Amino acid sequence: MPVRRNAPFLLVLAALVLLALNLRAPFVALAPVMQDIQAGLGVSAATAGLLTSIPVLCFAVLTPFSSALIGRTGPERAVAGTICGVLLGTILRSLGGPETAFAGTVVMGAAIAIGNIVVPIIVHRDIPRERIGLVMGVYVAAMNIGTMTVTIGMAPLAELLGWRLALSAWAVMAVLAAIVWTPAFGWGGPGRQPANADADADADADADADADHSPASPAPADGLAEPADDAGAGPPRIEDRTTRPFRPAWRSLTGWLLAIAFSAQSFSYYAFSAWLPSILSDTAGMGTVQAGSAASIFQGVAIAGAIGTPLLMRLLGATGAAAFMSACWLSVPLGLLFLPQLWWLWLSLGGVAQAGIFTVLLTVIAQISRSAAQAASLSVLMHAVGYAVAAFGPPVLGGVHSAAGGWAAPLGLELGLLAIMTVCLIGATLRNR
């Protein structure tokens, strides 16, 4: 690949942060002004609610096509499509009637689906190995900062400007992302010098020098690399990370462990986000306003989880960090079942954990991948399966609550899913130590 002079690390990090701010906040921004949107569009509450669920469904349905698009256009042009799609979708959603709002939401969801996949590819390619955890932590933290910003600021802004202008105001963040991305990465053609290119070139040279003297090497434990065609011909040449062959994620045990872990994590996150105020009202005896404010803790402390997880991974390793964050996540349904009066503790631990687990998952993908194509393959499988499952989180938890007449059964369901997440996530990290 043609290369160009590397941009400063802080500029690259700023570009990724601004991209992250455009990957969740635009559709989360609807919640604080949902009643205004419902009245303005003249639709039912259920129809208005689809505006928040459509992006998640887009993530699930369009993720495989996103990978193919990235492969054809390259990561930089894929990011351009993401930013332009978010910008166009944000503006369309704020214009006209229900048809235009839904069209804009679909455009936005498709654009964000591309962004979800392209970030691990770029991080794998351009970020030094020792900084991958830090970058992924800051990236996830930026998502949560964007979510918090629109949650807190959208209602006051809507009172000042009206809900249409308030929603379209987030388009400024897409413009800022485009401005900073241009000097950091460009939009195609010559790209950045891959951060790990020198190390991989040295590995190639060492492998060639030792080829006639080394015994055949066993396959790596993660099961993701393809075996040599002829075991008697000596060890396969260690190829550059950008071209090294790999086993498709759907044929990999590690890939499916990551996908199942992300499915349980995402199902739990979206289900809790939707029903926490109701759970707190019924289990902790809170009023509606107090329960809504208390539930915001779950989102707010996520920033600490995203930023702190890379340090935890340095201290405990990926497996230790995964176990610690999983234990924190498990404490939420357990605590709300048996000690609901300590709700603030359980929501704080869960908020840290939900962002921390996501950081661990993204970091593991970037670290174990031997090429950008493998990073894309793992990311596609994880996101496609995970978001398909996540879309059922709120209705399933609500349905179980209605059928059981209380929150014990839904919280028990969450406990079981998070236990599955724990086993799969730890298993994935153990296979790649």
Side-chain angles (χ1 to χ4, degrees):
M1 180 182 70
V3 298
R4 68 189 222 188
R5 181 175 61 84
N6 283 348
F9 174 72
L10 289 179
L11 180 61
V12 170
L13 189 61
L16 289 169
V17 164
L18 286 169
L19 179 61
L21 290 174
N22 286 278
L23 298 185
R24 290 297 179 271
F27 65 88
V28 174
L30 296 172
V33 292
M34 187 60 75
Q35 290 183 345
D36 295 336
I37 294 172
Q38 180 184 346
L41 296 179
V43 296
S44 66
T47 301
L50 288 175
L51 292 172
T52 60
S53 61
I54 283 175
V56 180
L57 293 174
C58 286
F59 300 164
V61 174
L62 300 179
T63 287
F65 303 100
S66 301
S67 178
L69 178 66
I70 294 168
R72 286 180 174 273
T73 65
E76 286 77 15
R77 290 191 178 96
V79 171
T82 294
I83 294 174
C84 290
V86 170
L87 178 62
L88 177 61
T90 300
I91 294 172
L92 279 176
R93 187 181 59 181
S94 303
L95 301 174
E99 297 81 6
T100 307
F102 280 102
T105 301
V106 170
V107 170
M108 181 188 300
I112 295 175
I114 297 171
N116 288 337
I117 302 304
V118 78
V119 168
I121 296 172
I122 290 175
V123 169
H124 164 84
R125 185 194 68 183
D126 291 344
I127 303 300
R129 290 180 180 87
E130 66 274 10
R131 287 181 168 178
I132 285 177
L134 169 65
V135 170
M136 283 305 190
V138 172
Y139 168 76
V140 175
M143 283 187 176
N144 286 282
I145 290 171
T147 300
M148 278 188 60
T149 300
V150 296
T151 300
I152 294 171
M154 189 54 60
L157 192 62
E159 289 184 1
L160 181 65
L161 303 176
W163 69 267
R164 293 183 185 272
L165 284 178
L167 288 179
S168 62
W170 195 257
V172 173
M173 296 307 301
V175 175
L176 287 176
I179 291 172
V180 176
W181 192 273
T182 300
F185 291 94
W187 300 108
R192 284 172 46 80
Q193 170 69 39
N196 302 310
D198 293 339
D200 293 322
D202 291 341
D204 289 349
D206 292 342
D208 289 339
D210 295 339
D212 296 331
H213 307 288
S214 301
S217 301
D222 60 17
L224 292 171
E226 291 182 345
D229 292 335
D230 185 358
R237 181 176 183 273
I238 300 176
E239 298 181 272
D240 187 347
R241 283 166 65 90
T242 60
T243 59
R244 191 175 299 165
F246 64 93
R247 180 177 298 172
W250 63 271
R251 294 178 54 196
S252 159
L253 177 58
T254 301
W256 280 105
L257 288 173
L258 292 172
I260 294 171
F262 184 62
S263 297
Q265 146 81 6
S266 299
F267 181 102
S268 299
Y269 170 75
Y270 284 105
F272 269 122
S273 295
W275 291 105
L276 260 181
S278 298
I279 293 173
L280 293 175
S281 293
D282 294 343
T283 61
M286 294 184 184
T288 303
V289 175
Q290 184 185 6
S293 299
S296 67
I297 295 175
F298 183 67
Q299 305 293 344
V301 299
I303 298 170
I307 295 176
T309 297
L311 175 61
L312 195 65
M313 293 181 73
R314 283 180 176 271
L315 295 175
L316 303 180
T319 302
F324 178 82
M325 289 297 174
S326 296
C328 291
W329 231 138
L330 286 163
S331 73
V332 179
L334 276 174
L336 291 176
L337 274 171
F338 298 108
L339 287 172
Q341 63 270 26
L342 296 179
W343 57 267
W344 53 270
L345 176 60
W346 314 131
L347 296 192
S348 297
L349 291 173
V352 168
Q354 53 97 351
I357 292 292
F358 191 38
T359 303
V360 171
L361 287 163
L362 293 177
T363 302
V364 168
I365 286 179
Q367 287 181 338
I368 70 174
S369 298
R370 291 173 171 79
S371 66
Q374 185 181 11
S377 179
L378 287 168
S379 188
V380 164
L381 178 66
M382 188 183 83
H383 284 90
V385 175
Y387 284 122
V389 173
F392 293 96
V396 167
L397 206 69
V400 172
H401 171 257
S402 297
W407 289 108
L411 290 173
L413 172 64
E414 287 288 6
L415 184 62
L417 288 172
L418 291 174
I420 294 172
M421 177 203 74
T422 301
V423 172
C424 291
L425 183 59
I426 292 176
T429 59
L430 285 173
R431 288 177 58 81
N432 293 282
R433 286 195 301 181

